[in-house]
Amino acid sequence: MKTKKIKKLKEKKLSTYLSLDYTIGLVLTIISIIIGYITRSDFFYKFGIIFLIATPVAGIFISIIYNSGRKNLKNVFISIAVFLILTTSALIGLFGFK
Amino acid sequence: MIIILYLVLTGLAAGFLGSIVGIGGGIMIVPVLSLLLKIPIQNAIGTSLIAVMATSISASRLFFKKDLANLKIGLTLVIFTTAGAITGSILVAFVRTNILFGLFGLLTMVSAYFSYRKNIRQQKDAAEIVLKDCEKFQTDTPPSLNNVLTTEEKTSIYYDTALKKPVSYQIKNYPVGFTTSFFAGIMSGLLGIGGGFINVSTMNLLMNVPLKAATATSTFMIGITAAASSIIYLTKGLVIPDITVAVVAGVLLGGTAGSFLACYLKNRYIVIILIVIFIVFGINMILKAFGVNLF
C-alpha cells in the first residue's frame, strides 16, 4: 500500500504541481481581494496583486525543483534560463538601459 | 459604483475571450481604461498587465489539470520571445515604427488566412480523404487519424473533451519556431503589442501544435512574461490598486468560465474567434501606420 502511494507520488506530473500552485495563488488572491474590499484597505489589494505576480514565478521554481528531482538537466536549464531572462528583463525595465 | 461595474465587466470580457484564444486581453482593457474611463495610459497598461496575469492564472489552472498546456515548448518559447522583446525595447530608439505597424498589420492578416486554411479548410479536406478511403476499403469502424501515427511520432498527447478522444501531435520545426518567436518578440518590444496572438500563430502554424494546445500553452506563457513587466509597473507606483482589483475580479470570473468553455469548444469555433480578433487587430495596425488610431 505504502509503496503504491510512493509510486503514485513519483508518477505525478509537473502539470499537477503547477495546477496546485496556480490554485493556491488564485485562492490567496481572491481572499486578499475580499479582505481588502471589507476593510477598504489598499494594503490587502496590493497583497492580492503580489500573489498574482508570485504565482507564475513560483511555477518556474517548481519546474526547476521538479526537473532537478527527476535529473532532467535539459529542462532544469530551460527553467533557469526562463528565470534569468525574466530577471534581466525586469532589471532593464527598472533601471533603464543607458 | 457604475465605474466599478464597467471595470468588472471589462475584465470579465477580456478574461473570457483571452482564456479561449490564448491572448492576454490587453487589447481590450487598455483602450477601455484610457479612452472611456480617462485613466492615464501608463496606469492603464499597469492594470492591463496585472489583468493579463489574472487571465493566465485562472485559465492555466484548468489547462494544467487537463494536460492541454505543453510546458516544455511554452517555457522554451518564453526564452526566445522575452529575449526578442528586450532587443526590441533597446532598438526602439533607432527604428521608425510606422512602417513596422503596417508590415505587422499585413502579417496579422496573413496569419488569419493561414489559420483558416490550416484549421478549417485542411481539416475538412482530411476528413473527406479519410471518408473516401473508408468507402474504398469498406471498413465499418470510424476512421481515426491517431492510428496513422507511429508510436515514435506521438510526442505529446492531450484529451480533447469536445472530440471525446485523445489527440496526439508531434512538434515540428523547432529552429524555425524559435527564430520566429525571437523576431516576434522584437516586434512586440518595438510596437508595444501583446505576445499572446504571436505565440498562438507560431505554435499552431509553424510548429504543428494543435490550436487548443497552442492557446492553452500561450495562456500559460503570457502569465510568465507579464510577471516581469508587472514588477516594474508595481514598483514605479503605476498600478492603482482600486481600479486593478476591480478589473482583476472580472478577469478571474471570465478567465475561469472561458477556460472551462475552451475545453469543451470545438477547434472550429476557437479558430473563428481567433480570426475575427486577427482581422480587427490587423486593420487597427495598418491604420496606425497611416496615423489613424482606432483604439
Side-chain angles (χ1 to χ4, degrees), chain A residues 13 15 23 42 52 86 94, chain B residues 57 61 67 75 224 235 242:
Chain A
K13 283 177 162 183
S15 56
T23 308
D42 268 7
L52 275 180
L86 290 179
L94 274 177
Chain B
I57 289 166
R61 198 177 57 89
D67 259 338
L75 284 173
I224 295 177
T235 47
D242 291 352

Side-chain angles (χ1 to χ4, degrees), chain A residues 1-97:
Chain A
M1 188 71 183
K2 211 176 178 181
T3 46
K4 253 188 181 179
K5 261 190 176 176
I6 293 166
K7 210 177 174 187
K8 213 178 173 186
L9 268 176
K10 273 187 179 174
E11 278 171 2
K12 270 192 177 172
K13 283 177 162 183
L14 174 61
S15 56
T16 317
Y17 295 110
L18 287 180
S19 177
L20 185 72
D21 165 42
Y22 277 47
T23 308
I24 293 169
L26 193 71
V27 171
L28 289 174
T29 307
I30 293 169
I31 291 171
S32 300
I33 290 174
I34 292 170
I35 295 173
Y37 185 74
I38 294 166
T39 56
R40 297 274 162 196
S41 157
D42 268 7
F43 174 77
F44 285 102
Y45 284 162
K46 277 184 185 168
F47 226 65
I49 293 168
I50 289 167
F51 278 131
L52 275 180
I53 298 172
T55 306
V57 179
I60 297 169
F61 280 113
I62 289 170
S63 173
I64 294 171
I65 294 163
Y66 176 87
N67 288 309
S68 306
R70 293 186 68 130
K71 289 171 186 167
N72 194 339
L73 275 180
K74 201 176 157 189
N75 287 354
V76 173
F77 285 133
I78 291 174
S79 308
I80 291 172
V82 172
F83 181 72
L84 287 177
I85 203 143
L86 290 179
T87 314
T88 313
S89 162
L91 288 174
I92 288 174
L94 274 177
F95 303 110
F97 194 86

Side-chain angles (χ1 to χ4, degrees), chain B residues 21-33:
Chain B
V21 293
I23 59 166
I27 189 174
M28 291 166 76
I29 296 169
V30 176
V32 171
L33 295 186

Side-chain angles (χ1 to χ4, degrees), chain B residues 109-155:
Chain B
M109 304 292 252
V110 173
S111 296
Y113 169 70
F114 280 108
S115 293
Y116 164 76
R117 224 177 98 158
K118 186 179 168 73
N119 295 293
I120 296 183
R121 220 169 78 181
Q122 276 184 2
Q123 272 180 10
K124 263 187 195 170
D125 293 346
E128 276 167 17
I129 290 164
V130 173
L131 273 173
K132 273 179 192 167
D133 285 350
C134 264
E135 282 163 8
K136 200 174 171 184
F137 294 109
Q138 292 181 333
T139 47
D140 293 323
T141 46
S144 168
L145 286 173
N146 284 319
N147 296 337
V148 180
L149 298 168
T150 61
T151 325
E152 282 173 333
E153 285 170 327
K154 290 176 184 175
T155 49

Side-chain angles (χ1 to χ4, degrees), chain B:
Chain B
M1 193 65 195
I2 293 170
I3 290 174
I4 290 175
L5 196 70
Y6 270 131
L7 293 171
V8 173
L9 286 177
T10 308
L12 197 81
F16 186 75
L17 209 63
S19 58
I20 290 176
V21 293
I23 59 166
I27 189 174
M28 291 166 76
I29 296 169
V30 176
V32 171
L33 295 186
S34 60
L35 297 177
L36 276 177
L37 302 172
K38 308 286 176 208
I39 293 164
I41 187 82
Q42 295 276 30
N43 297 107
I45 295 170
T47 305
S48 154
L49 280 168
I50 305 289
V52 167
M53 276 191 343
T55 307
S56 170
I57 289 166
S58 59
S60 296
R61 198 177 57 89
L62 195 69
F63 293 149
F64 288 141
K65 255 187 193 167
K66 301 254 176 193
D67 259 338
L68 270 173
N70 192 321
L71 295 173
K72 197 177 173 186
I73 196 73
L75 284 173
T76 317
L77 283 184
V78 161
I79 300 171
F80 289 92
T81 319
T82 317
I86 294 171
T87 315
S89 57
I90 294 166
L91 288 176
V92 78
F94 311 102
V95 182
R96 274 189 65 190
T97 50
N98 267 23
I99 301 157
L100 283 175
F101 267 122
L103 280 175
F104 210 72
L106 284 175
L107 200 70
T108 313
M109 304 292 252
V110 173
S111 296
Y113 169 70
F114 280 108
S115 293
Y116 164 76
R117 224 177 98 158
K118 186 179 168 73
N119 295 293
I120 296 183
R121 220 169 78 181
Q122 276 184 2
Q123 272 180 10
K124 263 187 195 170
D125 293 346
E128 276 167 17
I129 290 164
V130 173
L131 273 173
K132 273 179 192 167
D133 285 350
C134 264
E135 282 163 8
K136 200 174 171 184
F137 294 109
Q138 292 181 333
T139 47
D140 293 323
T141 46
S144 168
L145 286 173
N146 284 319
N147 296 337
V148 180
L149 298 168
T150 61
T151 325
E152 282 173 333
E153 285 170 327
K154 290 176 184 175
T155 49
S156 300
I157 193 160
Y158 71 91
Y159 184 81
D160 195 318
T161 323
L163 298 172
K164 289 177 183 161
K165 67 173 185 183
V167 175
S168 52
Y169 58 97
Q170 189 189 23
I171 300 162
K172 290 175 184 168
N173 303 329
Y174 274 93
V176 179
F178 296 158
T179 316
T180 314
S181 285
F182 180 73
F183 282 106
I186 291 181
M187 290 297 225
S188 172
L190 277 173
L191 307 176
I193 51 164
F197 82 100
I198 298 170
N199 299 333
V200 177
S201 306
T202 308
M203 280 187 275
N204 184 235
L205 298 175
L206 297 172
M207 300 182 83
N208 199 37
V209 179
L211 192 70
K212 221 174 231 189
T215 51
T217 311
S218 168
T219 309
F220 159 65
M221 286 166 69
I222 51 170
I224 295 177
T225 41
S229 318
S230 309
I231 295 168
I232 301 162
Y233 278 81
L234 195 68
T235 47
K236 285 189 175 174
L238 293 167
V239 176
I240 306 167
D242 291 352
I243 294 167
T244 309
V245 161
V247 178
V248 165
V251 165
L252 291 179
L253 283 173
T256 309
S259 63
F260 186 75
L261 187 72
C263 293
Y264 292 92
L265 214 59
K266 283 186 177 170
N267 261 0
R268 163 183 287 269
Y269 300 113
I270 298 175
V271 175
I272 292 168
I273 300 168
L274 196 68
I275 288 172
V276 171
I277 293 173
F278 273 6
I279 292 170
V280 173
F281 199 75
I283 291 171
N284 183 42
M285 299 255 270
I286 292 168
L287 289 175
K288 259 187 183 175
F290 294 103
V292 182
N293 264 324
L294 269 188
F295 50 84

